[in-house]
Amino acid sequence: MGASPTRIGNERLRFEAARAAIWAGVIGLFVLVIYLAQSLLVIFGALVFAAMIDGGARLLGRALKIGRTWRVAIVLILTTAFFAWLVMFAGATISSEAAAFPSIIEKQLMQLFAYLRSNGLDISVVDFKSVAGSLTSGVGTVTKAIGGLFGGLTTMVLIMIIGIYLALDPNLYERGVAWVVPERHRDAFYDTVSHQAYTMRRLLAGRLVGMVAEGIFTWALLMFYGVPMAALLGLLTGLLAFIPNIGALISGVLMVLVGFSGGTEMGLYTIFVYFLVQNFDGYILIPLIAKKTVDLAPALVLSAQLIFGVLFGILGLALADPMLAMIKVGLERRAARFDESDNAERTAELGA
């Protein structure tokens, strides 16, 4: 049988052609990932939501010996009931506070501008008003979209629907993905996914505890002193706590600006509250959570947030931390398998 007309006879050329094909495949896959990035991010957001439901269902399973479907349903009903309560009993107060929020922020920014001008700092009034207008517009957007942290009602609905399906029977989808993995790598796949799922549940459970704690403590401390909009600031602080580093900074700035609207003493008190809450979160909650999940370097998390935030907006910003944790766990399990393989080879050599 004659050689194929497409066969490259030179071995060196075949090697180079194979290498070029691999690079072309990698580049093509990279382009495809970029093209599908938003959809992939929505799917990952659904995985995060499913992990929250799964964690709640597992927690209920310790006390209620009922089927998983019923436990998932209970978690969803309780979650829906909480948000219904939030809208019914707190919605009127918070919405009225949110309406006045941008004007207070703009007023404080203009007072800051006047203070800087009085101390000799030459700032254009037009430029400052433009910046202030942008900031207050952004604040108004945030307060109007409290329920849309992941951005966009359609995206949020998709995340919730896909997440509920995943939470109802996660093993079904795990087996489906494993089916396309080569058989010799399936044990490693199951091992990695198991550790990633465990870490995700722990990470999100700790995150939810931190959100509730920060929101309640902020609201209670601000209300105790009579700071305006304590309920709104507490809710914003709790929601923004889902985004480490950046969320705390945004909520702190808003809190201090509102505090100084009531005078210097109130402004200083809000600074005290901010540092108290953040120190409690940073030195008590986060270390306790990190011991049972994965400890991520703050600089690494912040860098990932900036990159994902620029590329994918608020959805990328919110999901940067969980995604970074999953990547780290995957790399750690891969390194652990290599170490186990090396140890097994050394033991075999010594035995021989």
Side-chain angles (χ1 to χ4, degrees):
M1 182 182 291
S4 170
T6 60
R7 176 178 172 80
I8 301 176
N10 188 292
E11 185 176 348
R12 178 66 180 176
L13 288 177
R14 285 203 304 271
F15 173 77
E16 293 296 335
R19 187 162 66 174
I22 292 173
W23 275 108
V26 170
I27 294 172
L29 182 62
F30 183 73
V31 172
L32 181 63
V33 168
I34 293 177
Y35 182 75
L36 298 175
Q38 289 292 343
S39 300
L40 294 175
L41 208 60
V42 169
I43 294 173
F44 183 75
L47 290 172
V48 172
F49 183 66
M52 293 182 184
I53 301 173
D54 183 52
R58 288 172 181 266
L59 189 62
L60 283 176
R62 297 180 181 180
L64 300 176
K65 302 303 179 182
I66 56 178
R68 179 182 178 83
T69 302
W70 288 106
R71 286 184 276 125
V72 170
I74 291 173
V75 171
L76 292 174
I77 290 171
L78 292 175
T79 303
T80 304
F82 168 76
F83 282 105
W85 171 86
L86 187 64
V87 171
M88 290 174 60
F89 293 95
T93 302
I94 292 176
S95 61
S96 62
E97 291 179 351
F101 201 43
S103 61
I104 290 180
I105 299 299
E106 184 175 6
K107 180 180 178 181
Q108 292 304 109
L109 289 174
M110 295 308 298
Q111 289 180 356
L112 176 62
F113 164 74
Y115 173 79
L116 295 175
R117 292 277 294 181
S118 66
N119 283 273
L121 190 61
D122 188 16
I123 303 176
S124 170
V125 177
V126 176
D127 292 341
F128 191 87
K129 284 186 175 181
S130 175
V131 173
S134 300
L135 288 174
T136 53
S137 175
V139 170
T141 302
V142 169
T143 55
K144 291 177 183 177
I146 289 174
L149 181 62
F150 293 109
L153 181 60
T154 302
T155 300
M156 188 175 179
V157 170
L158 282 174
I159 287 175
M160 293 176 65
I161 292 174
I162 297 173
I164 291 172
Y165 277 116
L166 292 173
L168 285 172
D169 191 1
N171 293 329
L172 173 65
Y173 302 97
E174 184 178 337
R175 291 194 301 269
V177 176
W179 184 76
V180 300
V181 175
E183 188 173 357
R184 66 181 182 277
H185 296 308
R186 285 180 187 173
D187 289 340
F189 168 77
Y190 282 119
D191 173 73
T192 300
V193 169
S194 175
H195 281 82
Q196 286 179 328
Y198 175 82
T199 300
M200 178 75 84
R201 289 193 300 270
R202 294 281 183 170
L203 178 69
L204 294 175
R207 189 64 50 78
L208 290 174
V209 170
M211 291 170 64
V212 173
E214 287 193 35
I216 291 176
F217 288 165
T218 301
W219 165 73
L221 291 171
L222 294 180
M223 188 180 65
F224 171 77
Y225 197 82
V227 177
M229 305 182 180
L232 177 62
L233 290 171
L235 180 61
L236 284 174
T237 299
L239 290 175
L240 290 171
F242 187 84
I243 309 174
N245 304 322
I246 295 176
L249 180 62
I250 295 173
S251 63
V253 170
L254 297 177
M255 189 190 310
V256 171
L257 286 174
V258 172
F260 275 101
S261 68
T264 303
E265 291 184 2
M266 184 177 290
L268 294 176
Y269 177 77
T270 56
I271 294 175
F272 164 75
V273 170
Y274 171 75
F275 281 107
L276 179 64
V277 172
Q278 294 307 316
N279 279 312
F280 171 76
D281 184 63
Y283 290 103
I284 298 178
L285 283 179
I286 289 180
L288 290 175
I289 295 166
K291 287 179 181 178
K292 297 185 177 182
T293 55
V294 56
D295 193 9
L296 298 172
L300 184 62
V301 174
L302 184 59
S303 300
Q305 288 173 335
L306 292 175
I307 293 172
F308 278 84
V310 170
L311 292 176
F312 309 115
I314 191 170
L315 183 61
L317 185 65
L319 297 178
D321 187 34
M323 187 173 293
L324 189 62
M326 295 303 96
I327 293 173
K328 184 177 180 182
V329 172
L331 294 175
E332 286 176 345
R333 295 312 304 162
R334 186 171 184 271
R337 287 192 294 272
F338 275 121
D339 289 341
E340 291 173 1
S341 177
D342 290 342
N343 291 335
E345 290 180 2
R346 291 194 188 99
T347 302
E349 291 174 359
L350 291 175

